[in-house]
Structures are given as C-alpha cells and as structure tokens.
Amino acid sequence: MKLTRLRGFQDYLGADARALSMVEDCARTVAYRHALNEIRIPTLERIELYERSSGETSDIVQKQLYRVPRAAEAAGEGDQALRPEGTPGVIRAYIEAGLDRSDPEQRFFYCGSMYRYERPQKGRLRQFNQFGVEIFGRADAASDAELIIMIDEFRRALGLEVTFEVNSLGDAACRPAFRAALLEWGRTHYAELCDDCHQRLERNPLRLLDCKTDAVLARTAPHSLDYLCDPCRGHFATVERLIKIADVPYVVNPQLVRGLDYYNRTTFEVTSSAVGAQSAIVAGGRYDGLVEALGGAAAPGTGFAIGIERTALAISADRYATGGAPDAAIIAIGDAAVAGAIALARELRASGLRIELLSPERGLKALLRRADRGGARHALIIGENELAAGVVQMRDLRASTQNTVARGEVAAALAAARG
RNA sequence: GUGAGUGUAGCUCAGUUGGCAGAGCACCGGAUUGUGGCUCCGGUGGUCGAGGGUUCAAAUCCCUUCACUCACCCCA
C-alpha cells in the first residue's frame, strides 16, 4: 500500500464518521436555538491575515502554517496559506462585507476544517474540524457569558463531563503592568526556569504560567487577575455572576492563558479527561482590538471554537454505535426479478423507509447472511414465483418468521414493524 | 523540532537457543438446488514495514531507513 493518507490526516469510517456528524449536528442545533447566522468562508487566505491576527511570533504562524506555493502563477497575488483557525477569516469577511460600518452587531457560527503542520498525537491532527462562534459589536460581559452558557448546553446535550476554566487577561489599560511584573518575575527566577521557559520569556511571557515541568514554580508567578483595572474587574465579576446563575460548573484558573495573542479580558477553556494530553475540547475568549487591527472599524468581539474530533473522542461509543440499520434488504433471485426489486425499492423509499438493495450476483443464502449482518430488520425476497404472483416473501430476521405479502402492502407492513 | 514505544494475514496478536510463517476473528464456499444467525468442514488472503550486512540457513542477530502511536513543544 503506497498511496496511504498523509501524516496527520484521517479517514473516518462507520461509527467514527457518525460520531463526528453527531458532534457537528449537536453544535448546529444549539447555534440554531441561539439564533446565530451561519457564515461560510474560504479555506485559503492571504498569509498576512494570519500574521496580523495570530501574531508573527506565534507558533501557528512561525511553523504550523501550510503555505501554498504557486510561485510562478501566483507571483502577483501574494503568499497564501490554508487556514489554521477560523476567527481571522470570519473577521476579514465581516469587514469585507462592510458590516463593521453598516451593522456592526453580528452573531456568526461556522464549521469547517483547519490545517496546522504539527506532529500528530492523540487529539491532534494536521487537518481537523472546528465549530466556531463569533459575536461582533458587543463589549458587554453578558455576551461572554452567553457563549459559555451555549457551550454548556452543547456539552450537556452530548452527555459530556467536562471542566470549565475561566480567567481574565485584562486589557490595554492594565495588561502592561501585569506583563512587566511577569517579566520581572521571570528574570528573578531565571536560573530555576526550564529551557522551554527561557524561550517563553522572550517569545510569549504569558506562557510561563502554564509550564508543566516547573508547575510548582509557575504557581508563584504573578496572576493577571491581581492586576486588573476597575473596568476589567467589573467585567469579569459580571461574567462570573451570570454563568453561576446559569449553573455552569466552572472554576477560575488564574494560570489559564490563550495561545493567540489577540485575546483580552475574558478567556475560557473546556477540558475533558477522556481525550489524552490535548484535553481542551473548546477554547475561546474576547478579542476587542482584533477587528481594528485587521483594518476594520473599531468593534469588540468575542468567540470560541469547538474541536470536533476532540469532542468526538470524549463521547462514549454507545451514543453513536447504532448507525440507523435498514428497515429492509431486498433480495432479487434471477435476472427477471431485478427490475421488480428496483421498482419495489423506489416505492418503499418514497414512503420514507430505509431500504438496501442486495447484489443479484450471489446466492440466497449469502444474501440473507448479508442482510442479517447489515442489521436489516426484514428481508424482502422476490423470485420468479413472487414476480408472477405480485407478492414478496417478507422475512423477519429477528423473529425468524416469514410470510407472503402483496406488493402493495409491504410498505405498511414494514412501517408497522418499525413501530 | 525533541523523546519514548511499536511494526508478522483485512483486524487482534503468537512465533522457543537462528532451522518449512501460525492462531483467533473477519471474508468466501460447502454440509442445506429458493432461506440468515448456532454448529461442523473447507478455502482465499503474507515483500514478516523497507534496504543492506553476518550465516549453510534470518521474522529472529547487526547497521541504516521509513511508517505508526503516545508524550514534549504548541494547541481545538
């Protein structure tokens, strides 16, 4: 087998595919009830979009971006990349449609595949799907709270046990003081920090907080919550109050930081212990300066993204194992019966039944075996005799009973059996 | 990019001090001419990840390499 799939890319068959659909359908249902509008955007965008939003020093831009080289043809079009996340593209579309000026308050959801060049592991792929929600034009804490409540509805519908962690990173007014304190702390403890943290001190000091090798030491680092200005403090208190009233089981994690540097104020993460080390199945937060940074009018924003594959890992197999077995499998014996079998299948499908038409090339015994293993409740057998008499043999594969049914009555009999 | 583990039939895995490549499951057929599941019998299916070396002889020992998995980094 040479033509294998690429590293980090997955095929999903049977129950695995159903699990993903189930997660996606569930998210769509919740989004529908929240009256969000779907937005579909391209998979490929200009590279600058990601450089300007995610931050040029972030790993996503530095080494995870799938650059699409079209050197000769696209020379004048600028560099392009497969989207590593959805938020920048949604904001670009929002600005490009002029909504930031004409009607800034918008509520979107999107669903699609994202691409990041990383070493795969459990819960991490190079192509993966995200279901995301973005709310523009609202700076109030209630919009943050509503997102978290939405996620809680989503995970309850799937029967997931998860942990909600929330934090506030402050804003342009108070973050500089926190950042300075963190850098100061890092320099003071430089000798005790691990090699990774030495890198973080340069590149992304906030990351010092969630170091795993020096977790004990990291706990002594300054927290953004202690540096919040009054407006930020009030905002966070309101978020907490609202999600508490809504009964969301959350904890404040002062060491929770986000990977992308456009976040401010509220950040949150939903984790499951069932999916491996990459345990975050949903993450999000507020990004008030981002629309403006991407060339739009100043508009606040807040949003989250659900990892579809990671969420699917967390749901128990018995919730999607049964994949809708056929109501009946039709078995045609002899060439003459094939046309009649196809006609019967059409009739039955038109009345809403799920019908599988089995191959006429094999023997009755083999076909009954396939019908049984395919999970069909009934087998409908049509041969020369049945054709002539205008009937079918309807065999109940569960009860092992069989009787002759007039063609016109098959649909009703199957529907009755389905209950 | 770093580290560890694993590669033998479609799947899960045995394979002894180096000596004919195996089992279970799955699939196909038969026992039963047009009647499934259970049972019995039979069959298809292999570049032992790949390349090289040692040896009369390598799935087994040595070297190289590739892939997969998990973890770090990072993140959904």
Side-chain angles (χ1 to χ4, degrees), chain A residues 14-333:
Chain A
D16 295 332
R18 284 199 295 278
L20 295 180
S21 293
M22 182 177 169
V23 172
E24 224 177 275
D25 292 347
C26 187
R28 281 180 185 278
T29 301
V30 172
Y32 175 82
R33 289 182 186 151
H34 281 255
L36 302 177
N37 295 307
E38 179 159 16
I39 180 169
R40 289 176 180 259
I41 55 168
T43 310
L44 200 63
E45 298 268 8
R46 296 171 201 282
I47 238 165
E48 305 95 272
L49 176 64
Y50 303 115
E51 288 171 345
R52 285 172 55 185
S53 57
S54 308
E56 290 186 53
T57 58
S58 74
D59 272 28
I60 283 188
V61 167
Q62 289 254 310
K63 49 186 204 189
Q64 297 179 359
L65 222 44
Y66 265 97
R67 293 159 185 271
V68 177
R70 299 283 300 177
E73 302 91 326
E77 300 172 21
D79 292 332
Q80 306 169 359
L82 290 172
R83 59 186 183 193
E85 54 167 335
T87 304
V90 172
I91 294 176
R92 195 225 77 234
Y94 168 79
I95 297 169
E96 197 157 341
L99 293 169
D100 56 327
R101 295 175 182 282
S102 65
D103 187 8
E105 192 176 323
Q106 297 287 333
R107 301 144 53 79
F108 292 118
F109 78 88
Y110 63 88
C111 187
S113 49
M114 306 298 157
Y115 303 82
R116 292 181 197 173
Y117 187 85
E118 303 179 85
R119 283 286 288 270
Q121 69 185 75
K122 189 178 180 71
R124 190 173 69 187
L125 296 161
R126 289 181 175 182
Q127 178 184 331
F128 58 100
N129 288 280
Q130 285 189 339
F131 186 99
V133 172
E134 314 288 355
I135 298 179
F136 300 117
R138 284 185 56 178
D140 58 288
S143 58
D144 293 346
E146 197 194 3
L147 292 177
I148 293 169
I149 290 165
M150 195 184 303
I151 297 164
D152 193 44
E153 288 169 21
F154 165 76
R155 68 95 189 175
R156 282 180 199 273
L158 288 172
L160 294 179
E161 288 299 323
V162 296
T163 305
F164 283 78
E165 296 174 47
V166 301
N167 191 20
S168 177
L169 299 178
D171 63 8
C174 54
R175 186 122 65 130
F178 163 58
R179 198 184 162 85
L182 193 57
L183 283 171
E184 176 58 30
W185 175 87
R187 289 196 199 95
T188 318
H189 296 271
Y190 193 85
E192 308 156 60
L193 294 171
C194 66
D195 289 349
D196 283 334
C197 282
H198 292 155
Q199 300 271 323
R200 289 179 178 122
L201 200 53
E202 305 293 321
R203 294 254 302 274
N204 191 352
L206 291 189
R207 282 265 154 219
L208 290 168
L209 287 170
D210 62 358
C211 177
K212 281 161 193 156
T213 48
D214 292 331
V216 178
L217 178 62
R219 243 171 265 147
T220 69
H223 294 156
S224 54
L225 288 177
D226 298 326
Y227 288 80
L228 295 183
C229 56
D230 285 345
C232 283
R233 193 182 307 278
H235 186 100
F236 188 61
T238 306
V239 171
E240 271 204 78
R241 183 170 57 82
L242 293 175
I243 63 177
K244 194 176 288 178
I245 289 169
D247 237 8
V248 178
Y250 77 97
V251 295
V252 173
N253 177 359
Q255 289 174 218
L256 175 70
V257 296
R258 308 276 345 103
L260 294 331
D261 36 311
Y262 52 65
Y263 286 105
N264 70 320
R265 289 197 168 169
T266 316
T267 64
F268 53 88
E269 203 165 287
V270 180
T271 58
S272 161
S273 56
V275 304
Q278 307 299 315
S279 57
I281 63 173
V282 185
R286 178 160 283 283
Y287 46 83
D288 289 336
L290 189 54
V291 174
E292 194 172 11
L294 290 177
T302 185
F304 66 78
I306 298 171
I308 301 287
E309 286 82 356
R310 287 186 185 177
T311 304
L313 285 176
I315 63 182
S316 61
D318 61 317
R319 292 184 66 89
Y320 57 85
T322 54
D327 293 298
I330 299 183
I331 298 173
I333 303 167

